[in-house]
Amino acid sequence: MKLSDLNEAQEEAVTHGEGPLLVLAGAGSGKTRVITYRIAHLLRRGVPAERILALSFTNKAAREVAGRVRGLVGAAACGELTVSTFHALGLAILRQDIRRLGFDARFTLFGEGDQRSTVREIVKDAALPLDPGEVHAEISLWKNRAFAPEDVPVRPGDRLREAVRDTYAAYQALLRAQNAVDFDDLLLLPLRLFREHPDALAFWQERYHHLLVDEYQDTNPVQFQLLQALTGRRRNICVVGDDDQSIYGWRGADVKLILQFEQHYPGAQVVLLEENYRSTRTVLEAAHGVVAGIADRRPKKLFTRQSGGAPLGWIEADTGALEAEEIVGAILADSFRRKRRWSDFVILYRTNAQARLFEEVLRAQEIPYRVVGGSRFFDRKEVRDVLCYLRAMHNPRDDASLLRIANVPRRGLGAQTILRLREQAERSGTSLRRVLAEAQDLAPQARAGARALLVLLERYGSRFRAEGITPDGLEEFIRDAGLRAEVKTNYDSPQAVRRRLDLLDELVQSVADAPKVRGKADLGLYIEKLNLDPPAAQDDEDDEAVTLMTLHSAKGLEFPVVFLTGMEEGLLPHTRDAGGESADLSEERRLCYVGMTRAREQLVLSHAKTRRRRGALVACTPSRFLAEVPVELTVRSADAAPPDPEEEKIMAGNFFKGMQDLLG
């Protein structure tokens, strides 16, 4: 490790001594380098590795930090260094002490699909006039604000909010009855543990003497309270973030937490990282023009030692369809002229629905592409089925998992039969599994199916607990359960069958990395690991391809050429509020800034004069953000031809006049 590799501001942050530290790191300013070098510096100072905790928001980021630290100081020096996500830390805390909150140690972790289905059942059973998806989102938001059901504020007479709060209480009771927690509980329950059991808090405060937090602008209130509790009297907390990149307010993140850091930690040192190593001066000047419109922000302006850079491209198309054609034409022209790879290009948009037009044109031109944010690994039916089997083996009280796989593959336990048995379990206050074992009034086929299911769960559950779960063992289970045969029955296309069988293969191989206890791969820890860090579902992706993604998905990434599309009022900014710098509009500004600063070499902005909405051609107003980009930084494509209804259907991917000069 050489401090000479750092600029002056980075070195100041890395070598900071004791006490709170806020590192305001602009886009592309080397924040990961600061975090990794600071951890290495603490180790070199003699701080034991086991006393250091580094937190991030994604497993990918945590792995990157851990890998870089090992590269700086060597694996031996890292020892028991903890580099983790917030949720993985919460799981570690609960794994040690969840019994003190009344749970059994073999609890189930509910994924998003399980959460949604549970809320849907509660709303349906209570005949509430509520949208289950919206209720689930509201419950998650309350948990991120550290609200238990009894803490949710409800104004007198607000029947709707009261019904949602009651659903939250019923949801928590149902989780507790099944010895289950959800992802938000991984943060909320440790906070409750610390409040009710000060000795547990003292243990974790003594465990970690130095805390480092990446992407601090994305923290929510429950994460903030956890950090405050863990920091304790030592106050050795270093946070790195950028309020200009706070774009997750819709899921509970609170930008005020980074803006008010010095109020929360009086005497904190503040270091600004303003030198950008990613983008050209042109891109930075344009992005600053947009983000400078936020009234409540930390004053800073990124600079680079690079030369000015190419002007920004600016596409104004007559229709959304023509916008897609012009952009794909520009990609074709630039790939031929500069010999760029398809993976050098990214098309960014505000909403997923915007992807369709680009996909149609890319397909017509036979250009490979991948859409980021499609089906995730655990959204695939076959993966969820296997995981539910394993969860039912691990936790006999997990009714949700048993409900899902009771008739997968079909074994005579139809929906009506299972519903009746579930109601019986609720009335008797016992588990569905016990009711299924004791049911005497089932039809012969259903009785045989129930017996076969319970035998299967008991046989492999006992085996995995005794011998550990292995790739061979999981493969045998999948075969004996008939799940591969089920795939071949459910899909007609050989390609679809192959993709889904590949998913099962990927799941089997993942067992090789299962956490071990006393030399054996532990079933419960394996399930937790899969939930927290699932394998990426890449069966339909091509690495050498144009990338399509939302602006939210693009955070933390960079590309040589970025197309920022749909820059129109109502799309970007995505708001109905036509006036005033509301909090939502400020976040839209930050989102636009994030998109612009993904570009290393070339940024192209685009908008359409009209778009089709619900079958009608609707006039569009250019985004106010476009007016804030200095016009001298841009070069515009030639005016497009008048819109032609037939042209919209053909989507031929023509080269428009002026596109030769747009990127050149």
Side-chain angles (χ1 to χ4, degrees):
M1 184 181 77
K2 298 178 182 178
L3 293 180
S4 59
D5 293 339
L6 307 173
N7 64 37
E8 185 177 341
Q10 290 172 337
E11 183 176 351
E12 181 183 1
V14 166
T15 58
H16 170 75
E18 303 289 303
L21 170 66
L22 169 62
V23 182
L24 286 169
S29 63
K31 68 178 180 61
T32 305
R33 168 171 286 201
V34 166
I35 291 172
T36 54
Y37 270 65
R38 177 156 178 78
I39 293 172
H41 182 70
L42 290 172
L43 293 170
R44 291 281 177 86
R45 276 177 41 198
V47 176
E50 63 270 20
R51 295 288 180 255
I52 300 174
L53 169 64
L55 292 170
S56 67
F57 283 82
T58 68
N59 292 291
K60 180 181 178 182
R63 285 192 291 267
E64 181 182 359
V65 169
R68 287 204 195 182
V69 173
R70 285 193 297 271
L72 289 172
V73 300
C78 290
E80 296 183 28
L81 171 71
T82 302
V83 183
S84 165
T85 64
F86 277 93
H87 289 91
L89 173 67
L91 182 58
I93 293 170
L94 293 180
R95 193 181 292 136
Q96 177 170 302
D97 283 321
I98 198 169
R99 290 186 185 88
R100 303 177 76 170
L101 298 177
F103 289 81
D104 185 272
R106 286 163 56 184
F107 61 90
T108 294
L109 176 59
F110 270 24
E112 186 172 334
D114 304 304
Q115 297 168 41
R116 289 182 179 277
S117 61
T118 303
V119 171
R120 191 181 304 114
E121 289 177 17
I122 295 170
V123 169
K124 181 180 178 181
D125 289 347
L128 295 171
L130 303 171
D131 179 89
E134 293 178 3
V135 172
H136 171 255
E138 191 71 9
I139 290 173
S140 181
L141 198 59
W142 284 337
K143 289 190 175 188
N144 287 329
R145 291 173 179 164
F147 289 164
E150 60 272 17
D151 301 323
V152 174
V154 178
R155 290 190 300 270
D158 191 341
R159 299 280 183 85
L160 184 62
R161 190 174 177 87
E162 187 175 344
V164 178
R165 182 193 60 186
D166 292 345
T167 303
Y168 177 16
Y171 170 71
Q172 289 301 103
L174 196 54
L175 286 181
R176 184 66 171 268
Q178 298 184 65
N179 194 40
V181 301
D182 66 18
F183 271 81
D184 296 320
D185 287 330
L186 295 182
L187 304 177
L188 192 60
L189 288 179
L191 193 60
R192 178 184 151 199
L193 174 74
F194 291 163
R195 289 171 176 168
E196 296 179 3
H197 301 278
D199 58 320
L201 174 59
F203 171 86
W204 289 98
Q205 286 178 338
E206 185 57 33
R207 169 74 186 273
Y208 299 120
H209 293 184
H210 286 269
L211 276 68
L212 300 95
V213 186
D214 190 13
E215 304 285 7
Y216 187 71
Q217 77 279 350
D218 293 334
T219 52
N220 59 40
V222 70
Q223 291 163 335
F224 167 73
Q225 291 179 40
L226 271 175
L227 289 171
Q228 279 204 315
L230 289 169
T231 304
R233 56 182 173 78
R234 290 188 180 86
R235 302 201 320 140
N236 286 331
I237 182 169
C238 165
V239 303
V240 183
D242 180 11
D243 56 298
D244 288 340
Q245 297 185 71
S246 179
I247 59 173
Y248 294 117
W250 52 276
R251 69 182 188 195
D254 188 348
V255 69
K256 292 195 297 291
L257 296 176
I258 192 170
L259 295 174
Q260 299 172 359
F261 184 81
E262 295 100 316
Q263 297 176 33
H264 302 143
Y265 296 94
Q269 181 177 352
V270 180
V271 177
L272 268 65
L273 304 185
E274 296 177 293
E275 182 172 358
N276 178 279
Y277 294 93
R278 176 192 299 153
S279 304
T280 65
R281 188 174 303 166
T282 305
V283 169
L284 296 180
E285 288 288 339
H288 182 74
V290 173
V291 81
I294 300 174
D296 189 13
R297 67 181 286 266
R298 296 270 185 169
K300 54 187 173 297
K301 186 174 182 180
L302 295 177
F303 69 92
T304 179
R305 300 181 194 274
Q306 298 183 51
S307 58
L312 272 63
W314 184 314
I315 294 174
E316 182 181 69
D318 282 292
T319 68
L322 293 178
E323 177 194 37
E325 286 198 3
E326 286 212 44
I327 286 173
V328 173
I331 289 173
L332 280 165
D334 202 36
S335 67
F336 284 123
R337 185 181 300 113
R338 292 191 172 85
K339 309 301 180 186
R340 292 193 191 274
R341 300 177 303 164
W342 298 125
S343 57
D344 288 343
F345 302 97
V346 65
I347 298 173
L348 301 179
Y349 37 80
R350 180 62 178 84
T351 66
N352 282 304
Q354 292 170 253
R356 180 184 61 83
L357 292 174
F358 297 106
E359 289 191 70
E360 290 181 8
V361 181
L362 289 165
R363 276 201 300 268
Q365 291 296 321
E366 297 184 347
I367 297 174
Y369 69 91
R370 67 189 187 103
V371 181
V372 175
S375 294
R376 294 170 294 181
F377 189 74
F378 284 129
D379 289 336
R380 311 302 177 95
K381 175 185 181 302
E382 292 72 25
V383 174
R384 289 192 66 193
D385 287 344
V386 175
L387 186 58
C388 283
Y389 267 107
L390 296 179
R391 283 168 35 171
M393 294 176 198
H394 178 64
N395 177 12
R397 290 163 56 189
D398 187 349
D399 286 355
S401 294
L402 191 58
L403 279 167
R404 179 180 176 87
I405 50 90
N407 207 39
V408 179
R410 292 178 179 83
R411 49 174 63 94
L413 295 170
Q416 292 302 318
T417 300
I418 291 297
L419 180 61
R420 178 170 58 81
L421 293 175
R422 178 176 173 272
E423 291 172 348
Q424 184 179 335
E426 289 179 350
R427 286 195 303 271
S428 60
T430 188
S431 69
L432 175 61
R433 187 162 176 170
R434 173 169 290 185
V435 169
L436 197 60
E438 298 175 352
Q440 299 297 322
D441 57 346
L442 296 177
Q445 184 184 5
R447 190 181 306 117
R451 185 163 52 250
L453 172 62
L454 296 175
V455 167
L456 187 71
L457 292 173
E458 182 57 36
R459 182 200 312 155
Y460 280 95
S462 299
R463 174 178 171 179
F464 293 157
R465 283 191 292 274
E467 304 173 5
I469 184 169
T470 64
D472 288 345
L474 183 55
E475 178 59 47
E476 287 181 33
F477 163 73
I478 291 173
R479 182 199 62 210
D480 287 355
L483 297 178
R484 288 193 183 274
E486 177 82 353
V487 168
K488 296 173 183 177
T489 301
N490 287 343
Y491 301 98
D492 296 327
S493 163
Q495 292 83 2
V497 170
R498 183 66 262 162
R499 283 198 299 268
R500 281 150 181 85
L501 291 178
D502 286 346
L503 286 173
L504 293 180
D505 290 340
E506 190 173 0
L507 194 61
V508 167
Q509 291 307 312
S510 70
V511 174
D513 298 322
K516 292 179 171 56
V517 175
R518 291 186 290 277
K520 296 183 297 187
D522 185 83
L523 175 60
L525 297 183
Y526 168 68
I527 294 170
E528 291 171 359
K529 181 179 185 296
L530 280 183
N531 274 308
L532 288 174
D533 191 14
Q538 297 181 334
D539 55 290
D540 55 357
E541 292 182 0
D542 185 346
D543 288 337
E544 186 46 53
V546 175
T547 300
L548 279 67
M549 62 169 58
T550 65
L551 286 163
H552 283 99
S553 298
K555 188 165 177 292
L557 304 177
E558 58 183 64
F559 297 85
V561 183
V562 170
F563 291 87
L564 183 48
T565 69
M567 294 196 67
E568 301 139 28
E569 294 294 309
L571 274 181
L572 186 64
H574 192 67
T575 175
R576 299 179 186 276
D577 182 12
E581 289 288 281
S582 66
D584 286 343
L585 185 55
S586 293
E587 184 154 317
E588 293 294 310
R589 284 187 183 280
R590 295 193 290 268
L591 195 56
C592 183
Y593 172 83
V594 165
M596 296 172 83
T597 55
R598 299 311 94 195
R600 292 206 302 264
E601 302 170 19
Q602 177 70 64
L603 173 63
V604 180
L605 311 176
S606 74
H607 69 99
K609 295 178 183 178
T610 61
R611 285 192 187 274
R612 288 205 175 274
R613 294 196 175 100
R614 298 179 181 176
L617 207 58
V618 179
C620 302
T621 303
S623 169
R624 68 191 78 185
F625 301 154
L626 287 171
E628 295 162 355
V629 175
V631 67
E632 64 271 17
L633 300 178
T634 67
V635 57
R636 301 194 182 208
S637 66
D639 291 337
D644 185 305
E646 290 303 313
E647 196 168 16
E648 281 196 272
K649 297 177 183 176
I650 296 172
M651 306 289 253
N654 301 319
F655 289 88
F656 286 80
K657 182 182 177 183
M659 292 308 296
Q660 294 287 335
D661 300 324
L662 180 60
L663 292 169

Short mmCIF file of all heavy atoms in Angstrom, two decimals, residues 630-664:
data_model
loop_
_atom_site.label_atom_id
_atom_site.label_comp_id
_atom_site.label_asym_id
_atom_site.label_seq_id
_atom_site.Cartn_x
_atom_site.Cartn_y
_atom_site.Cartn_z
N PRO A 630 -25.64 23.55 -20.43
CA PRO A 630 -25.13 24.63 -21.28
C PRO A 630 -25.13 24.23 -22.75
O PRO A 630 -24.56 23.20 -23.13
CB PRO A 630 -23.71 24.87 -20.76
CG PRO A 630 -23.76 24.41 -19.33
CD PRO A 630 -24.70 23.25 -19.32
N VAL A 631 -25.78 25.02 -23.58
CA VAL A 631 -25.97 24.65 -24.98
C VAL A 631 -24.64 24.52 -25.71
O VAL A 631 -24.51 23.73 -26.66
CB VAL A 631 -26.89 25.68 -25.68
CG1 VAL A 631 -26.21 27.04 -25.79
CG2 VAL A 631 -27.32 25.17 -27.05
N GLU A 632 -23.61 25.26 -25.27
CA GLU A 632 -22.32 25.20 -25.95
C GLU A 632 -21.62 23.85 -25.76
O GLU A 632 -20.62 23.54 -26.43
CB GLU A 632 -21.40 26.33 -25.47
CG GLU A 632 -21.02 26.27 -24.01
CD GLU A 632 -22.01 27.01 -23.10
OE1 GLU A 632 -23.15 27.28 -23.57
OE2 GLU A 632 -21.66 27.30 -21.95
N LEU A 633 -22.14 23.03 -24.83
CA LEU A 633 -21.54 21.72 -24.59
C LEU A 633 -22.12 20.64 -25.50
O LEU A 633 -21.68 19.50 -25.47
CB LEU A 633 -21.75 21.29 -23.13
CG LEU A 633 -21.16 22.18 -22.04
CD1 LEU A 633 -21.50 21.62 -20.66
CD2 LEU A 633 -19.65 22.29 -22.21
N THR A 634 -23.13 20.99 -26.31
CA THR A 634 -23.88 19.97 -27.05
C THR A 634 -23.75 20.15 -28.56
O THR A 634 -23.43 21.24 -29.06
CB THR A 634 -25.38 20.02 -26.69
OG1 THR A 634 -25.94 21.26 -27.16
CG2 THR A 634 -25.57 19.94 -25.18
N VAL A 635 -24.02 19.07 -29.28
CA VAL A 635 -24.18 19.11 -30.72
C VAL A 635 -25.43 18.31 -31.05
O VAL A 635 -25.60 17.19 -30.57
CB VAL A 635 -22.94 18.55 -31.46
CG1 VAL A 635 -22.64 17.13 -31.04
CG2 VAL A 635 -23.14 18.61 -32.98
N ARG A 636 -26.33 18.89 -31.84
CA ARG A 636 -27.62 18.26 -32.08
C ARG A 636 -27.63 17.51 -33.40
O ARG A 636 -26.98 17.89 -34.36
CB ARG A 636 -28.74 19.32 -32.11
CG ARG A 636 -28.84 20.10 -30.82
CD ARG A 636 -30.13 20.87 -30.76
NE ARG A 636 -30.21 21.65 -29.53
CZ ARG A 636 -31.34 21.97 -28.93
NH1 ARG A 636 -32.48 21.58 -29.44
NH2 ARG A 636 -31.34 22.69 -27.83
N SER A 637 -28.45 16.42 -33.42
CA SER A 637 -28.68 15.71 -34.68
C SER A 637 -29.57 16.55 -35.56
O SER A 637 -30.28 17.45 -35.10
CB SER A 637 -29.34 14.36 -34.42
OG SER A 637 -30.63 14.55 -33.89
N ALA A 638 -29.54 16.30 -36.87
CA ALA A 638 -30.40 17.04 -37.78
C ALA A 638 -31.86 16.76 -37.49
O ALA A 638 -32.21 15.73 -36.91
CB ALA A 638 -30.07 16.66 -39.22
N ASP A 639 -32.72 17.68 -37.91
CA ASP A 639 -34.15 17.49 -37.68
C ASP A 639 -34.62 16.20 -38.33
O ASP A 639 -34.25 15.89 -39.46
CB ASP A 639 -34.94 18.66 -38.25
CG ASP A 639 -34.69 19.94 -37.45
OD1 ASP A 639 -34.30 19.82 -36.27
OD2 ASP A 639 -34.88 21.02 -38.03
N ALA A 640 -35.42 15.45 -37.60
CA ALA A 640 -35.97 14.21 -38.15
C ALA A 640 -37.08 14.52 -39.14
O ALA A 640 -37.67 15.59 -39.12
CB ALA A 640 -36.49 13.32 -37.03
N ALA A 641 -37.38 13.58 -40.02
CA ALA A 641 -38.46 13.75 -40.98
C ALA A 641 -39.80 13.77 -40.24
O ALA A 641 -39.91 13.29 -39.12
CB ALA A 641 -38.43 12.60 -41.98
N PRO A 642 -40.86 14.36 -40.87
CA PRO A 642 -42.18 14.36 -40.24
C PRO A 642 -42.63 12.94 -39.91
O PRO A 642 -42.29 12.00 -40.63
CB PRO A 642 -43.08 15.00 -41.32
CG PRO A 642 -42.14 15.77 -42.19
CD PRO A 642 -40.85 15.02 -42.18
N PRO A 643 -43.38 12.78 -38.82
CA PRO A 643 -43.78 11.43 -38.42
C PRO A 643 -44.67 10.77 -39.46
O PRO A 643 -45.53 11.40 -40.04
CB PRO A 643 -44.54 11.68 -37.11
CG PRO A 643 -44.96 13.10 -37.16
CD PRO A 643 -43.91 13.82 -37.93
N ASP A 644 -44.43 9.49 -39.70
CA ASP A 644 -45.20 8.71 -40.64
C ASP A 644 -45.72 7.47 -39.90
O ASP A 644 -44.93 6.71 -39.36
CB ASP A 644 -44.32 8.28 -41.81
CG ASP A 644 -45.11 7.55 -42.89
OD1 ASP A 644 -45.77 6.56 -42.56
OD2 ASP A 644 -45.04 7.96 -44.05
N PRO A 645 -47.04 7.26 -39.85
CA PRO A 645 -47.58 6.12 -39.10
C PRO A 645 -46.98 4.79 -39.54
O PRO A 645 -46.71 3.92 -38.72
CB PRO A 645 -49.09 6.18 -39.40
CG PRO A 645 -49.33 7.62 -39.77
CD PRO A 645 -48.10 8.09 -40.46
N GLU A 646 -46.76 4.61 -40.85
CA GLU A 646 -46.19 3.36 -41.31
C GLU A 646 -44.74 3.19 -40.86
O GLU A 646 -44.29 2.10 -40.56
CB GLU A 646 -46.27 3.29 -42.84
CG GLU A 646 -47.68 3.14 -43.37
CD GLU A 646 -48.36 1.90 -42.78
OE1 GLU A 646 -47.73 0.83 -42.76
OE2 GLU A 646 -49.50 2.02 -42.31
N GLU A 647 -44.03 4.33 -40.78
CA GLU A 647 -42.62 4.27 -40.38
C GLU A 647 -42.49 3.76 -38.95
O GLU A 647 -41.56 3.04 -38.61
CB GLU A 647 -42.01 5.67 -40.51
CG GLU A 647 -40.49 5.65 -40.50
CD GLU A 647 -39.91 7.00 -40.90
OE1 GLU A 647 -40.65 7.99 -40.89
OE2 GLU A 647 -38.72 7.04 -41.24
N GLU A 648 -43.46 4.14 -38.11
CA GLU A 648 -43.43 3.67 -36.72
C GLU A 648 -43.55 2.16 -36.66
O GLU A 648 -42.95 1.51 -35.81
CB GLU A 648 -44.57 4.31 -35.93
CG GLU A 648 -44.27 5.73 -35.50
CD GLU A 648 -45.23 6.16 -34.42
OE1 GLU A 648 -46.30 6.66 -34.76
OE2 GLU A 648 -44.91 5.96 -33.25
N LYS A 649 -44.32 1.58 -37.55
CA LYS A 649 -44.53 0.13 -37.50
C LYS A 649 -43.32 -0.63 -38.03
O LYS A 649 -43.00 -1.72 -37.58
CB LYS A 649 -45.77 -0.24 -38.33
CG LYS A 649 -47.07 0.36 -37.79
CD LYS A 649 -48.24 0.00 -38.69
CE LYS A 649 -49.52 0.65 -38.22
NZ LYS A 649 -50.64 0.39 -39.14
N ILE A 650 -42.67 -0.07 -39.04
CA ILE A 650 -41.59 -0.80 -39.70
C ILE A 650 -40.36 -0.92 -38.80
O ILE A 650 -39.73 -1.98 -38.71
CB ILE A 650 -41.21 -0.10 -41.03
CG1 ILE A 650 -42.40 -0.14 -41.99
CG2 ILE A 650 -39.99 -0.76 -41.65
CD1 ILE A 650 -42.21 0.67 -43.24
N MET A 651 -40.01 0.15 -38.08
CA MET A 651 -38.85 0.16 -37.17
C MET A 651 -37.60 -0.34 -37.90
O MET A 651 -36.97 -1.31 -37.51
CB MET A 651 -39.12 -0.72 -35.95
CG MET A 651 -40.38 -0.36 -35.21
SD MET A 651 -40.17 1.17 -34.36
CE MET A 651 -40.04 0.58 -32.71
N ALA A 652 -37.24 0.29 -39.01
CA ALA A 652 -36.20 -0.26 -39.88
C ALA A 652 -34.79 0.03 -39.42
O ALA A 652 -33.84 -0.51 -39.96
CB ALA A 652 -36.40 0.28 -41.29
N GLY A 653 -34.60 0.92 -38.47
CA GLY A 653 -33.23 1.20 -38.00
C GLY A 653 -32.42 1.98 -39.02
O GLY A 653 -31.26 1.67 -39.28
N ASN A 654 -33.03 3.02 -39.65
CA ASN A 654 -32.34 3.80 -40.68
C ASN A 654 -31.24 4.66 -40.06
O ASN A 654 -31.27 4.97 -38.87
CB ASN A 654 -33.33 4.72 -41.40
CG ASN A 654 -34.45 3.95 -42.06
OD1 ASN A 654 -34.20 2.92 -42.65
ND2 ASN A 654 -35.67 4.45 -41.98
N PHE A 655 -30.32 5.07 -40.90
CA PHE A 655 -29.33 6.06 -40.49
C PHE A 655 -29.89 7.44 -40.86
O PHE A 655 -30.13 7.73 -42.03
CB PHE A 655 -27.99 5.85 -41.21
CG PHE A 655 -27.27 4.66 -40.75
CD1 PHE A 655 -27.50 3.42 -41.32
CD2 PHE A 655 -26.35 4.75 -39.72
CE1 PHE A 655 -26.84 2.31 -40.88
CE2 PHE A 655 -25.67 3.63 -39.28
CZ PHE A 655 -25.92 2.41 -39.86
N PHE A 656 -30.11 8.30 -39.87
CA PHE A 656 -30.70 9.59 -40.13
C PHE A 656 -29.61 10.60 -40.52
O PHE A 656 -28.47 10.49 -40.08
CB PHE A 656 -31.47 10.10 -38.91
CG PHE A 656 -32.77 9.39 -38.70
CD1 PHE A 656 -32.79 8.14 -38.10
CD2 PHE A 656 -33.95 9.94 -39.13
CE1 PHE A 656 -33.98 7.47 -37.92
CE2 PHE A 656 -35.14 9.28 -38.94
CZ PHE A 656 -35.16 8.05 -38.35
N LYS A 657 -30.05 11.58 -41.31
CA LYS A 657 -29.13 12.64 -41.72
C LYS A 657 -28.57 13.35 -40.49
O LYS A 657 -29.29 13.70 -39.58
CB LYS A 657 -29.88 13.64 -42.60
CG LYS A 657 -28.98 14.77 -43.13
CD LYS A 657 -29.79 15.75 -43.96
CE LYS A 657 -28.89 16.90 -44.40
NZ LYS A 657 -29.67 17.90 -45.16
N GLY A 658 -27.28 13.51 -40.47
CA GLY A 658 -26.65 14.18 -39.33
C GLY A 658 -26.10 13.23 -38.29
O GLY A 658 -25.31 13.64 -37.44
N MET A 659 -26.51 11.95 -38.32
CA MET A 659 -26.03 11.01 -37.30
C MET A 659 -24.54 10.71 -37.49
O MET A 659 -23.86 10.33 -36.55
CB MET A 659 -26.83 9.71 -37.36
CG MET A 659 -28.28 9.86 -36.94
SD MET A 659 -28.47 10.67 -35.36
CE MET A 659 -27.67 9.48 -34.31
N GLN A 660 -24.03 10.88 -38.72
CA GLN A 660 -22.61 10.66 -38.96
C GLN A 660 -21.77 11.59 -38.08
O GLN A 660 -20.66 11.26 -37.67
CB GLN A 660 -22.28 10.91 -40.44
CG GLN A 660 -22.93 9.92 -41.39
CD GLN A 660 -22.27 8.56 -41.32
OE1 GLN A 660 -21.12 8.46 -40.95
NE2 GLN A 660 -23.01 7.52 -41.66
N ASP A 661 -22.33 12.79 -37.82
CA ASP A 661 -21.57 13.79 -37.05
C ASP A 661 -21.89 13.78 -35.57
O ASP A 661 -21.20 14.41 -34.78
CB ASP A 661 -21.84 15.19 -37.61
CG ASP A 661 -21.45 15.29 -39.07
OD1 ASP A 661 -20.43 14.66 -39.42
OD2 ASP A 661 -22.15 15.97 -39.82
N LEU A 662 -22.97 13.08 -35.18
CA LEU A 662 -23.44 13.17 -33.80
C LEU A 662 -22.39 12.70 -32.81
O LEU A 662 -22.16 13.32 -31.78
CB LEU A 662 -24.71 12.33 -33.64
CG LEU A 662 -25.31 12.35 -32.22
CD1 LEU A 662 -25.68 13.76 -31.82
CD2 LEU A 662 -26.50 11.44 -32.14
N LEU A 663 -21.72 11.58 -33.12
CA LEU A 663 -20.73 11.03 -32.20
C LEU A 663 -19.31 11.24 -32.72
O LEU A 663 -18.37 10.68 -32.16
CB LEU A 663 -20.99 9.54 -31.98
CG LEU A 663 -22.27 9.23 -31.22
CD1 LEU A 663 -22.57 7.74 -31.28
CD2 LEU A 663 -22.14 9.67 -29.78
N GLY A 664 -19.14 12.02 -33.77
CA GLY A 664 -17.81 12.11 -34.33
C GLY A 664 -17.25 13.50 -34.35
O GLY A 664 -16.09 13.68 -34.66
#
